[in-house]
Amino acid sequence: MIRAAIFPNKYIQGRNAIREIANFIEPIGESAVLLVDRNVRSFIEPAIMDSAQTKGINIQSIEFGGECTWDEVNRIADVARSVDAQMIIGAGGGKTLDTAKAAAIKSDRRMIVLPTTASTDAPTSALSVIYTAQGEFQEYFFLPRNPDVVLVDTQIVANAPARFLSAGMGDALATWFEADTASRAGAKNMAGGFTTSTGLTLARLCFDTLIEYGPSALKAAEQHAITPALERVVEANTLLSGLGFESGGLAAAHSIHNGLTELKQTHDYLHGEKVAFGTLTQLILEDRSQDEIMTVLAFMTAVSLPACFEGIGLKNVSRDDLRRAAEAATAEGETIHNLPFEVSVDDVVDAMIAADSLGRTIPGACGWQEREEELEKEPAPAM
Ligand SMILES: [Zn+2]
């Protein structure tokens, strides 16, 4: 049996870490292309430029076009070649990072990744998701290597809306349950081998960190405050979950997420929110113990993750729509087939209905929407 695990080369995290970026990229080269999101450019670009200047690193900055298409990837790769940059730095949301990663591979440059939220576990991975210009999923581009440097500035993450951290916890919540299931079923992971105990242990540490520190980290994030609990959860959402999913394996939660994206009503909800609902559904499908399910449900409620249809835009959803989602979730090649038993479309539909019905028994289990409504009702604090 061949076991395999993959990792990014270097992971950096901390308050104002971006000001130190030159120290970490100097060994790679003296010229870089920076691909940056429009909405963060005004503060990311000067911080990187200032740091780069201290080490004499030349940075060519380009604004991200908005979609991770092959055209955009090739545009960035061409710039990197034309200015003879040794590395491509991606700074911003998931699509910007995926474009920078793919362009670094296409142009044979080194890969630096700066996520500005802790909302998914994609930054450390050797994977880019390619879309059409219309924003439809096109294909997974599996990269031959992971990023050279992943740098997370906790101040930037803490300044982002707290809902992103919550969604990141939803993506990270799936990691242990998917890795555990995939490994017990003898499924291969993203590294092309069977799960190592390293992958599995990191996935478990991810889950334990969320349960212990998730609620207080979210409270801190709501106030844009950096605490040790927030640092732990940012690490869990980004590094532990990233390593855990790639070297552990995926199962039903992400397939159910993929199925849910078939329904337009879910499009305003974040990746991690749908993955969290998919996790609860997976636990029900797997007939996990009541204790385990209630632990997860209590956690989801505490960090405003949706445990009901309403929380992912599916209030009054029809069974036909649920079938459409379940058909996509059980399509050939989906990781739901890493479950150690056969799963039918009806099994998935019924498990989703049961997850929603269980969630609705708990006050506050409908996620961020409900929480925002409550916050609006609260009187403004006296100044
Ligand atoms: Zn995910």
Side-chain angles (χ1 to χ4, degrees):
M1 177 186 280
I2 303 294
R3 299 183 185 275
I6 48 178
F7 308 88
N9 200 31
K10 200 173 274 186
Y11 179 81
I12 322 290
Q13 179 188 313
R15 191 196 294 264
N16 300 326
I18 197 171
R19 295 185 195 164
E20 315 273 328
I21 188 169
N23 295 331
F24 301 106
I25 61 175
E26 188 192 19
I28 295 174
E30 65 215 13
S31 171
V33 165
L34 167 66
L35 179 68
V36 61
D37 264 358
R38 179 178 307 170
N39 62 339
V40 295
R41 188 174 190 175
S42 64
F43 57 92
I44 294 274
E45 194 179 285
I48 292 178
M49 297 286 189
D50 285 354
S51 177
Q53 216 168 29
T54 64
K55 301 280 184 187
I57 300 167
N58 182 40
I59 307 258
Q60 168 87 33
S61 177
I62 315 173
E63 194 166 288
F64 177 50
E67 193 55 83
C68 181
T69 61
W70 280 125
D71 279 352
E72 182 70 352
V73 168
N74 290 329
R75 177 175 80 102
I76 310 309
D78 284 346
V79 176
R81 286 189 203 99
S82 69
V83 300
D84 207 14
Q86 287 99 355
M87 66 195 108
I88 298 179
I89 307 172
K95 290 186 175 192
T96 314
L97 305 184
D98 277 5
T99 305
K101 289 197 288 185
I105 294 300
K106 286 287 175 192
S107 59
D108 198 18
R109 264 62 187 172
R110 306 284 287 277
M111 199 190 303
I112 320 295
V113 174
L114 266 86
T116 49
T117 63
S119 60
T120 75
D121 55 18
T124 61
S125 72
L127 174 69
S128 288
V129 186
I130 309 292
Y131 290 84
T132 65
Q134 287 72 40
E136 290 148 0
F137 170 80
Q138 185 171 336
E139 61 182 300
Y140 288 122
F141 178 41
F142 291 96
L143 316 179
R145 51 191 165 87
N146 292 68
D148 294 283
V149 177
V150 177
L151 184 146
V152 185
D153 186 322
T154 327
Q155 187 67 64
I156 293 171
V157 169
N159 288 348
R163 183 175 173 178
F164 287 115
L165 188 80
S166 165
M169 288 193 260
D171 205 18
L173 176 65
T175 306
W176 161 246
F177 295 106
E178 291 191 286
D180 177 43
T181 294
S183 123
R184 281 191 288 120
K188 282 194 175 172
N189 61 22
M190 306 289 158
F194 294 101
T195 310
T196 56
S197 53
T198 304
L200 215 51
T201 305
L202 294 176
R204 182 68 207 192
L205 178 60
C206 180
F207 177 70
D208 292 342
T209 304
L210 295 181
I211 296 292
E212 193 165 352
Y213 300 101
S216 55
L218 185 63
K219 283 282 163 212
E222 283 172 354
Q223 303 305 321
H224 309 299
I226 299 170
T227 59
L230 181 76
E231 291 277 9
R232 284 180 191 267
V233 169
V234 169
E235 183 184 332
N237 287 7
T238 315
L239 182 61
L240 290 174
S241 181
L243 300 175
F245 101 80
E246 275 200 306
S247 296
L250 294 177
H254 271 81
S255 291
I256 290 163
H257 160 274
N258 295 346
L260 288 169
T261 61
E262 288 286 307
L263 308 178
K264 242 195 159 91
Q265 308 93 293
T266 68
H267 288 188
D268 287 342
Y269 295 82
L270 300 170
H271 170 83
E273 294 172 334
K274 286 170 268 194
V275 171
F277 185 77
T279 305
L280 184 61
T281 307
Q282 177 181 321
L283 300 186
I284 290 169
L285 262 177
E286 290 184 294
D287 198 20
R288 294 252 183 178
S289 75
Q290 200 61 17
D291 262 10
E292 213 163 13
I293 291 175
M294 293 319 283
T295 301
V296 166
L297 197 50
F299 167 75
M300 288 173 68
T301 310
V303 299
S304 295
L305 285 167
C308 72
F309 287 140
E310 192 181 344
I312 47 172
L314 296 178
K315 194 176 181 181
N316 302 324
V317 64
S318 67
R319 191 169 174 102
D320 279 353
D321 273 354
L322 291 177
R323 276 194 71 85
R324 216 146 52 80
E327 274 164 13
T330 53
E332 206 188 316
E334 273 296 340
T335 52
I336 199 166
H337 302 298
N338 287 344
L339 291 175
F341 49 86
E342 218 168 291
V343 190
S344 71
V345 170
D346 281 318
D347 291 338
V348 175
V349 171
D350 288 349
M352 286 196 285
I353 289 172
D356 163 71
S357 145
L358 188 63
R360 278 190 289 110
T361 61
I362 315 272
C366 278
W368 206 261
Q369 194 166 313
E370 194 173 340
R371 188 185 183 92
E372 278 175 353
E373 281 164 16
E374 271 166 33
L375 289 175
E376 274 170 26
K377 273 187 243 153
E378 272 176 25
M383 299 300 277

